[in-house]
């Protein structure tokens, strides 16, 4: 029995037993971790599948919602512009009811004169040359170019 006790308390025996116990603990913890990982991986995969399904299911309605919001904003902007234009036209209509405004427009745009006034027209010399039928870039009067165009259209 003394030899048995001696083997039991020897350093080599104790190191061997300690190594076996440590190996057993490591093996058990690895088995637990692997079991835990496999359960977690399945749950995570299912959760990922559910999230992806929700994203795919909501993508098209969200895109439609955003595009419709943009269209509504555009239509509201157009309505506001139309309202502004309507107000401008109402103001113009009210101004056109005034005889003094009509006379002023006639004098400005149609060059009308009141009795007793003398009107003057200032002529730009460059504009006169272009209007008198002087030869243009082709060296011929405009009416000759016009008749040539009519003749060439008949030949086609």
């Amino acid at each position: 029995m003394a030899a048995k006790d001696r083997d039991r308390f020897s350093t080599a025996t104790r190191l061997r037993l300690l190594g076996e116990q440590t190996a057993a603990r490591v093996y058990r913890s690895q088995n637990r971790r692997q079991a835990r990982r496999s359960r977690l991986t399945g749950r995570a995969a299912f959760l990922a599948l559910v999230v992806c399904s929700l994203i795919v299911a909501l993508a098209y309605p969200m895109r439609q919602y955003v595009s419709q919001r943009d269209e509504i904003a555009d239509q509201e902007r157009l309505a506001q512009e139309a309202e502004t234009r309507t107000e401008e036209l109402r103001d113009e209509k009210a101004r056109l009811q005034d005889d003094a405004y009509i006379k002023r427009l006639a004098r400005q745009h149609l060059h009308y004169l009141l009795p007793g006034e003398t009107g003057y027209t200032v002529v730009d010399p460059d504009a006169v040359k272009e209007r008198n039928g002087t030869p243009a870039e082709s060296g011929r009067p405009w009416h000759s170019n016009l008749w040539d165009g009519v003749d060439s259209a008949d030949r086609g």
Side-chain angles (χ1 to χ4, degrees):
M1 178 126 168
K4 213 175 195 188
D5 285 337
R6 196 181 73 199
D7 283 342
R8 182 173 165 201
F9 293 110
S10 72
T11 305
T13 306
R14 277 189 285 173
L15 285 175
R16 186 174 44 85
L17 284 175
L18 189 60
E20 289 173 359
Q21 289 172 354
T22 305
R25 273 192 234 127
V26 169
Y27 179 71
R28 276 191 306 237
S29 68
Q30 284 179 348
N31 284 342
R32 284 187 201 144
R33 244 187 262 138
Q34 287 174 353
R36 224 179 308 142
R37 276 193 197 139
S38 64
R39 269 189 309 184
L40 187 61
T41 304
R43 288 179 186 169
F46 181 71
L47 181 63
L49 179 68
V50 168
V51 168
C52 289
S53 299
L54 286 174
I55 289 172
V56 168
L58 294 176
Y60 182 73
M62 285 302 293
R63 191 185 69 146
Q64 289 291 84
Y65 174 75
V66 170
S67 67
Q68 287 176 359
R69 291 287 303 229
D70 290 342
E71 287 179 22
I72 289 170
D74 288 342
Q75 292 300 322
E76 287 175 349
R77 182 184 49 80
L78 289 175
Q80 183 64 35
E81 289 175 2
E83 184 68 30
T84 304
R85 180 70 178 140
T86 302
E87 288 298 320
E88 290 172 0
L89 290 174
R90 283 187 184 140
D91 293 343
E92 182 69 18
K93 181 181 175 185
R95 282 193 301 259
L96 289 173
Q97 301 297 323
D98 186 19
D99 289 337
Y101 183 71
I102 298 294
K103 286 179 184 177
R104 190 181 72 157
L105 287 178
R107 289 172 64 96
Q108 276 181 341
H109 297 291
L110 303 175
H111 304 287
Y112 280 14
L113 300 173
L114 292 174
E117 291 181 343
T118 305
Y120 296 97
T121 304
V122 178
V123 180
D124 182 17
D126 296 331
V128 172
K129 289 179 185 174
E130 292 174 7
R131 275 195 246 150
N132 285 340
T134 56
E137 293 175 10
S138 65
R140 299 171 41 192
W142 66 270
H143 49 83
S144 299
N145 292 334
L146 177 70
W147 282 118
D148 288 343
V150 170
D151 291 338
S152 65
D154 286 340
R155 281 188 238 136

